């Protein structure tokens, strides 16, 4: 759900995409993103487009023909990184785990040492499974072979510790519509100094004009027109980020953790098991397994019709096996958890 203050911010009069107030807002977003990503990086911006545009920006700028990309995958979105890297000319090598299975970080280190890639890609918060993957051991292993690390933080930013600097992530991207409580439409991204230096050594120009980070930086710092970015979305994001800063990151993480844990306790009391082992679960997106014989579409249809509650199902190898229920951003409240548990109890009784 979108925070009411964000809706309010979006009603502010529109200014042009080259107006001084637009650039002032972009500058505030840059500073606030540093806080929310927990980084001293100054190269922070919101790419126009959804989370996928952040992924495209990360890949297009740091992968060129011949770049070796080591992909760690245990879910759907990691494989999308691989697909994009191939399209931008990269050579992708994969270390794959079953969807929803944690990595063995010794194996990750061995894989990275053996492959010696220039770039390592992984998804910190895998929305297809509800799994949190640890950034630190991945970044440490990548550091040993001087590889850049790209982290997908689409479902962690604003809800769980992303900790760009502490983990050593070189490039992290996210979206506006999840932990930040805004509508979809912008993709926050942060890039560290090492990555910017590496980018200068590219042999070929970035093959996608729209997400060329150098052109975007020149635009957002008021030096050169690039595209007509939406001031309305920038107002929304600035408000969403200001709300995070007012609450405080630690307090916000704690809120997400508590509400997630209350949700888990509640579904377990209903006899459901969580897909992801304890200690590896997202606090933003919960994936309880459906009891045998219960039809996923019936449960979700009932929740939507009777309670106006939108939930997601599993897909790929998890189709029909799990529910995916968000407790993120503005929606992560004790009241919402109580409501969904009540509704789930009713829906499961009807569906079995
Ligand atoms: C982990 C992850 N990465 C990337 C994306 C793509 O983001 P979007 O749908 O906003 O383009 C999503 C979308 O849910 C996601 O969950």
């Amino acid at each position: 759900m979108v925070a009411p203050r964000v809706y309010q911010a979006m009603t502010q009069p529109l200014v042009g995409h080259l107006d001084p107030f637009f650039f002032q807002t972009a500058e505030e977003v840059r500073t606030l993103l540093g806080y929310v990503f927990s980084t001293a990086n100054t190269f922070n911006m919101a790419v126009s487009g959804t989370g996928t545009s952040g992924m495209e920006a990360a890949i297009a700028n740091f992968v060129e023909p011949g770049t070796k990309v080591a992909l760690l995958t245990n879910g759907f979105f990691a494989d999308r990184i691989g697909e994009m890297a191939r399209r931008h000319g990269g050579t992708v090598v994969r270390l794959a785990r079953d969807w929803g299975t944690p990595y063995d970080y010794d194996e990750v280190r061995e894989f990275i040492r053996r492959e010696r890639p220039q770039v390592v890609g992984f998804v910190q918060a895998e929305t297809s499974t509800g799994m949190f993957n640890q950034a630190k051991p991945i970044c440490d292993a990548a550091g040993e072979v001087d590889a850049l690390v790209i982290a997908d933080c689409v479902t962690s930013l604003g809800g769980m510790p992303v900790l760009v600097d502490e983990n050593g992530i070189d490039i992290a991207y996210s979206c506006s519509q999840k932990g930040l409580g805004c509508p979809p439409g912008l993709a926050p991204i942060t890039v560290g100094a090492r990555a910017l230096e590496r980018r200068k050594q590219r042999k070929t120009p970035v093959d996608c004009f729209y997400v060329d980070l150098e052109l975007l930086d020149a635009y957002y710092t008021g030096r050169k027109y690039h595209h007509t970015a939406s001031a309305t979305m920038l107002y929304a994001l600035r408000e969403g980020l200001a709300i995070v800063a007012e609450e405080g990151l630690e307090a916000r993480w704690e809120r997400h953790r508590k509400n997630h844990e209350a949700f888990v306790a509640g579904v377990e009391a209903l006899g459901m098991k969580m897909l992801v082992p304890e200690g590896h679960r997202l606090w933003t997106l919960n994936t309880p397994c459906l009891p045998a014989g219960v039809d996923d579409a019936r449960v979700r249809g009932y929740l939507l019709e009777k309670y106006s509650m939108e939930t997601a199902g599993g897909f790929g190898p998890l189709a029909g096996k799990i529910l995916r229920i968000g407790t993120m951003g503005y929606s992560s409240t004790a009241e919402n958890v109580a409501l969904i548990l009540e509704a789930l109890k009713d829906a499961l009784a009807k569906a079995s």
Side-chain angles (χ1 to χ4, degrees), residues 285-312:
L285 192 276
N286 308 277
T287 49
C289 299
L290 282 159
V294 172
D295 180 49
D296 148 57
R298 267 189 74 190
V299 171
R300 294 194 300 113
Y302 185 79
L303 289 174
L304 188 60
E305 231 169 80
K306 175 146 183 216
Y307 294 95
S308 297
M309 285 183 185
E310 201 182 339
T311 56

Side-chain angles (χ1 to χ4, degrees), residues 49-55 76-78 80-81 84 123-128 152-156 173-178 184-187 282 285 315 324:
T50 63
T52 306
S53 73
M55 188 188 284
F76 173 82
F77 288 102
R80 180 178 283 188
I81 295 179
M84 268 190 198
V123 176
Q124 186 182 45
E126 184 48 84
T127 326
S128 59
D152 179 313
C153 305
V154 164
T155 303
S156 44
Y173 60 85
S174 187
C175 70
S176 46
Q177 77 268 19
K178 289 192 163 76
L186 288 176
L282 297 182
L285 192 276
F315 56 99
R324 296 185 304 131

Side-chain angles (χ1 to χ4, degrees), residues 43 45 61 199 211-219 223:
F43 196 106
M45 65 173 66
N61 283 270
R199 192 183 172 287
V211 293
D212 182 322
L213 288 174
E214 199 178 328
L215 301 180
L216 286 175
D217 184 50
Y219 170 47
R223 285 175 286 134

Side-chain angles (χ1 to χ4, degrees), residues 32 172 223 233 252:
L32 285 163
R223 285 175 286 134
M233 275 310 300
R252 196 170 174 95

Side-chain angles (χ1 to χ4, degrees), residues 150-210:
I150 296 177
D152 179 313
C153 305
V154 164
T155 303
S156 44
L157 192 70
M160 297 189 73
V162 169
L163 301 176
V164 163
D165 287 0
E166 199 175 310
N167 283 319
I169 298 168
D170 296 287
I171 302 121
Y173 60 85
S174 187
C175 70
S176 46
Q177 77 268 19
K178 289 192 163 76
L180 302 179
C182 299
L186 288 176
I189 188 167
T190 183
V191 182
R194 192 168 83 111
L196 290 174
E197 208 41 55
R198 193 72 60 86
R199 192 183 172 287
K200 284 190 199 147
Q201 294 157 17
R202 286 181 62 106
K203 296 185 189 71
T204 57
V206 172
D207 63 3
C208 179
F209 185 91
Y210 196 63

Side-chain angles (χ1 to χ4, degrees), residues 41-330:
N41 291 345
T42 52
F43 196 106
N44 314 318
M45 65 173 66
V47 178
S48 292
T50 63
T52 306
S53 73
M55 188 188 284
E56 193 92 45
I59 303 297
N61 283 270
F62 299 97
V63 176
E64 62 181 323
T67 303
K68 187 170 187 181
V69 180
L71 181 71
L72 307 175
T73 172
N74 55 4
F76 173 82
F77 288 102
D79 279 321
R80 180 178 283 188
I81 295 179
E83 168 70 15
M84 268 190 198
R86 274 187 290 274
R87 288 180 184 221
H88 289 284
T91 306
V92 178
V93 289
R94 287 166 86 240
L95 179 68
R97 283 277 145 275
D98 287 344
W99 285 30
T101 306
Y103 299 121
D104 170 342
Y105 290 100
D106 288 336
E107 194 185 1
V108 166
R109 193 184 320 109
E110 281 312 306
F111 170 67
I112 291 174
R113 278 183 183 160
R114 188 173 66 245
E115 295 293 348
R116 306 194 71 78
Q118 279 109 37
V119 171
V120 174
F122 80 103
V123 176
Q124 186 182 45
E126 184 48 84
T127 326
S128 59
T129 63
M131 169 154 289
F132 189 77
N133 293 310
Q134 299 295 331
K136 186 85 174 94
I138 298 172
C139 295
D140 287 352
E144 283 183 26
V145 299
D146 204 24
L148 294 178
V149 176
I150 296 177
D152 179 313
C153 305
V154 164
T155 303
S156 44
L157 192 70
M160 297 189 73
V162 169
L163 301 176
V164 163
D165 287 0
E166 199 175 310
N167 283 319
I169 298 168
D170 296 287
I171 302 121
Y173 60 85
S174 187
C175 70
S176 46
Q177 77 268 19
K178 289 192 163 76
L180 302 179
C182 299
L186 288 176
I189 188 167
T190 183
V191 182
R194 192 168 83 111
L196 290 174
E197 208 41 55
R198 193 72 60 86
R199 192 183 172 287
K200 284 190 199 147
Q201 294 157 17
R202 286 181 62 106
K203 296 185 189 71
T204 57
V206 172
D207 63 3
C208 179
F209 185 91
Y210 196 63
V211 293
D212 182 322
L213 288 174
E214 199 178 328
L215 301 180
L216 286 175
D217 184 50
Y219 170 47
Y220 281 115
T221 52
R223 285 175 286 134
K224 196 169 177 204
Y225 161 74
H226 175 265
H227 69 290
T228 308
S230 161
T232 305
M233 275 310 300
L234 220 50
Y235 301 154
L237 184 61
R238 180 183 55 179
E239 196 65 17
L241 293 169
I243 293 170
V244 177
E246 284 165 29
E247 183 175 3
L249 268 181
E250 282 80 8
R252 196 170 174 95
W253 297 333
E254 186 56 14
R255 168 164 67 83
H256 280 78
R257 188 186 62 75
K258 268 196 189 147
N259 291 325
H260 156 74
E261 283 176 3
F263 177 88
V264 172
V267 288
E268 285 178 349
L270 293 178
M272 297 172 91
K273 289 197 165 44
M274 296 296 286
L275 174 76
V276 175
E278 200 178 343
H280 300 274
R281 293 174 189 152
L282 297 182
W283 303 337
T284 45
L285 192 276
N286 308 277
T287 49
C289 299
L290 282 159
V294 172
D295 180 49
D296 148 57
R298 267 189 74 190
V299 171
R300 294 194 300 113
Y302 185 79
L303 289 174
L304 188 60
E305 231 169 80
K306 175 146 183 216
Y307 294 95
S308 297
M309 285 183 185
E310 201 182 339
T311 56
F315 56 99
L318 298 174
K321 295 186 180 155
I322 58 166
L323 292 174
R324 296 185 304 131
I325 298 180
T327 44
M328 58 179 85
Y330 182 72

